[in-house]
């Protein structure tokens, strides 16, 4: 794999202007690139940073053509964009990431099947299109199991934990609107993720294994390095996936570790990921730095050095309500506010990272700060 190397002053086009687009833009601009962003929201976080901003829907063909014509390379900040339109763009413009990963991973069933073909360790799953399939899931997977929509859904949306027969009617209602995937519920001990960047000439850079905690299906905190012995095994699983799926730039693989200390691949995000935000302060390169280096054809660092262990906390709207007056009293909190105009209780409004020599003590201290979240 070898692709165009951008020069100072060239333009990076970003599809999507949310917080990930904003942080991509910050990395791109510090490296001397201009940024053009396309997003339907005129008040999106990336707008104040972008040299040029196109207000348009993600499926607006004319706007996407304009983005292509004005960009020297195009990347994207999220996977819920049209794979078909992205494929058409790749035929005309410089999009090193291609469309294949988006096409595979925006469909949960195809993602599971691809992981299975790659030889990855995954939990048993079934396609669920009809009521008979739901009965088969009950028979093969047993209670409890999780049912998820094939398309869309994030932060826990579009999924149901079917604990017993009392949840079947809710599950039936979900499958009447969209095809689903059912997967066996794991007795989870820990959630971890591995962020990886693939660049020019197939360079691969791994970030340290990240330990995550979710609350209400939304990432609550990340601790790095993970308190786990699974880093080597996680890298082995990622290497299997790389053989099967075309990646360029930064992506993240999420894993479950069960009570028996077995590692399972959960899902893949084909772009920078919430659990990698700590890298902005805690590593010598952030996940956004390596992403921009990769898509602009630059050399990647051989390895990522973690400068200090870190605890990263997501900041939802309710957390800003709880902690806003405290931020100025804690210079050790590296606070990032994304600039979203409307504050909602469960909306990701920012994050903060605390560098520490004792992640356990810092974790305890931060949990006390967030006691009013629930």
């Amino acid at each position: 794999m070898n692709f165009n190397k951008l020069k100072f002053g060239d333009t990076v086009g970003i599809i999507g202007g949310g917080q990930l687009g904003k942080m991509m833009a910050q990395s791109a601009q510090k490296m001397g690139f201009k940024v053009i962003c396309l997003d339907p929201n005129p008040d999106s976080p990336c707008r104040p940073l972008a040299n040029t901003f196109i207000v348009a829907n993600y499926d607006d063909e004319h706007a996407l053509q304009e983005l292509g014509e004005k960009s020297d390379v195009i990347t994207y900040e999220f996977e819920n964009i049209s794979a078909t339109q992205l494929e058409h763009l790749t035929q005309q413009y410089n999009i090193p990431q291609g469309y294949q990963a988006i096409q595979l991973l925006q469909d949960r069933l195809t993602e599971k099947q691809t992981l299975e073909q790659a030889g990855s360790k995954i939990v048993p799953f079934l396609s669920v299109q009809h009521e008979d399939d739901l009965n088969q899931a009950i028979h093969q997977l047993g209670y409890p199991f999780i049912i998820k929509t094939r398309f869309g859904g994030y932060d826990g949306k579009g999924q149901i934990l079917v604990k017993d027969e009392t949840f079947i009617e809710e599950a039936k209602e979900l499958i009447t609107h969209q095809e689903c995937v059912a997967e066996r519920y794991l007795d989870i001990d820990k959630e971890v993720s591995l962020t990886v960047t693939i660049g020019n000439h197939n360079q691969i850079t791994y970030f340290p294994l990240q330990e995550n905690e979710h609350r209400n299906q939304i990432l609550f905190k990340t601790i790095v390095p993970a308190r786990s012995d699974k880093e080597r095994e996680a890298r082995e699983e990622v290497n299997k996936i790389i053989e099967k799926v075309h990646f360029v730039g930064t992506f993240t693989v999420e894993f479950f570790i069960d009570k028996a200390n077995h590692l399972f691949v959960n899902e893949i995000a084909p772009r920078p990921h919430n659990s990698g935000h700590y890298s902005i302060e805690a590593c010598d390169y952030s996940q956004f730095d390596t992403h921009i280096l990769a898509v602009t054809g630059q050399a990647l660092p051989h390895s990522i050095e973690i400068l200090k262990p870190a605890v990263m906390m997501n900041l939802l709207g309710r957390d800003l309500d709880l902690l806003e007056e405290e931020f100025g009293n804690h210079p050790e909190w590296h606070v990032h506010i994304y600039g979203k105009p409307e504050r909602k209780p469960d909306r990701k409004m920012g994050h903060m990272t605390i560098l520490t020599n004792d992640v356990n003590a810092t974790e305890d201290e931060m949990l006390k700060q967030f006691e009013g979240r629930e």
Side-chain angles (χ1 to χ4, degrees):
M1 184 193 332
N2 191 10
F3 37 89
N4 298 340
K5 184 175 181 180
L6 268 64
K7 306 180 295 295
F8 294 146
D10 283 348
T11 299
V12 176
I14 304 173
I15 302 174
Q19 63 264 24
L20 298 180
K22 175 180 180 177
M23 289 181 272
M24 284 184 193
Q26 289 170 329
S27 285
Q29 288 174 333
K30 78 177 183 181
M31 295 179 196
F33 301 117
K34 296 177 182 176
V35 171
I36 179 171
C37 183
L38 183 151
D39 195 279
N41 181 4
D43 296 319
S44 65
C46 195
R47 180 157 196 171
L49 280 77
N51 300 88
T52 305
F53 193 90
I54 301 172
V55 180
N57 291 329
Y58 302 122
D59 60 355
D60 186 322
E61 292 185 23
H62 294 294
L64 289 169
Q65 288 291 327
E66 180 185 354
L67 180 74
E69 291 167 3
K70 293 181 176 179
S71 303
D72 295 292
V73 69
I74 295 176
T75 184
Y76 47 79
E77 69 147 6
F78 66 106
E79 55 269 41
N80 292 324
I81 56 180
S82 168
T84 301
Q85 289 189 327
L86 192 61
E87 181 180 6
H88 292 158
L89 286 177
T90 60
Q91 296 169 5
Q92 304 173 66
Y93 304 110
N94 179 25
I95 309 178
Q97 291 164 276
Y99 67 92
Q100 296 93 334
I102 290 289
Q103 189 174 58
L104 288 172
L105 302 178
Q106 64 187 192
D107 178 345
R108 286 194 173 98
L109 178 59
T110 305
E111 178 180 22
K112 295 290 184 188
Q113 292 169 336
T114 302
L115 288 169
E116 189 174 51
Q117 293 163 10
S120 298
K121 298 174 184 175
I122 57 174
V123 298
F125 70 95
L126 290 172
S127 171
V128 179
Q129 301 181 40
H130 311 289
E131 191 171 326
D132 288 345
D133 298 328
L134 191 58
N135 293 330
Q136 187 178 3
I138 296 168
H139 176 71
Q140 289 190 219
L141 303 177
Y143 294 117
F145 63 90
I146 299 174
I147 186 165
K148 303 177 180 179
T149 55
R150 282 183 62 178
F151 301 96
Y154 61 95
D155 290 343
K157 298 177 177 65
Q159 62 179 266
I160 299 169
L161 173 60
V162 183
K163 297 179 182 178
D164 52 41
E165 64 274 5
T166 63
F167 291 83
I168 293 300
E169 290 304 317
E170 188 180 358
K172 288 179 180 178
E173 177 68 18
L174 188 64
I175 65 175
T176 60
H177 294 95
Q178 191 180 140
E179 294 178 21
C180 293
V181 176
E183 60 184 54
R184 181 175 294 162
Y185 177 78
L186 282 179
D187 191 6
I188 298 171
D189 179 60
K190 194 164 287 186
E191 298 175 65
V192 296
S193 59
L194 191 63
T195 295
V196 183
T197 305
I198 298 181
N200 215 350
H201 302 293
N202 291 309
Q203 293 175 295
I204 303 176
T205 297
Y206 298 93
F207 285 81
L209 191 66
Q210 300 141 189
E211 176 184 337
N212 306 315
E213 179 187 337
H214 289 78
R215 294 192 178 182
N216 300 320
Q217 307 298 325
I218 301 173
L219 183 65
F220 176 59
K221 72 174 186 292
T222 296
I223 292 176
V224 182
R227 294 166 294 190
S228 169
D229 61 356
K230 293 295 184 181
E231 181 153 6
R232 176 180 291 182
E233 188 175 346
R235 287 193 182 192
E236 290 171 356
E237 291 299 311
V238 168
N239 289 338
K240 293 177 188 176
I241 295 166
I242 289 170
E243 291 296 316
K244 199 71 181 175
V245 183
H246 170 84
F247 289 108
V248 171
T250 296
F251 66 99
T252 293
V253 180
E254 297 180 60
F255 301 89
F256 293 138
I257 302 173
D258 69 8
K259 297 291 187 182
N261 202 34
H262 295 137
L263 184 80
F264 297 88
V265 177
N266 176 31
E267 59 185 21
I268 306 166
R271 37 74 183 169
H273 190 258
N274 197 169
S275 66
H277 290 349
Y278 72 92
S279 60
I280 296 172
E281 281 86 22
C283 298
D284 53 349
Y285 292 82
S286 78
Q287 64 167 342
F288 302 99
D289 294 339
T290 55
H291 181 75
I292 295 299
L293 288 172
V295 299
T296 59
Q298 319 297 316
L300 294 181
H302 295 297
S303 62
I304 297 297
E305 181 181 351
I306 184 165
L307 305 176
K308 204 168 188 179
V311 177
M312 189 279 293
M313 310 290 296
N314 249 352
L315 296 171
L316 306 183
R318 67 185 64 188
D319 301 318
L320 296 192
D321 294 340
L322 181 69
L323 296 173
E324 188 169 1
E325 297 302 317
E326 288 295 312
F327 292 150
N329 299 324
H330 292 275
E332 73 278 11
W333 296 357
H334 296 273
V335 179
H336 295 249
I337 303 299
Y338 300 146
K340 297 177 181 178
E342 186 178 359
R343 184 182 299 188
K344 298 178 182 179
D346 291 320
R347 191 181 195 191
K348 294 176 184 175
M349 303 300 295
H351 73 270
M352 65 178 179
T353 301
I354 303 95
L355 306 185
T356 177
N357 291 318
D358 188 339
V359 294
N360 295 319
T362 300
E363 179 187 29
D364 290 343
E365 178 185 337
M366 297 315 300
L367 289 177
K368 292 175 184 176
Q369 295 285 346
F370 282 76
E371 281 177 354
R373 167 183 262 215
E374 302 301 335

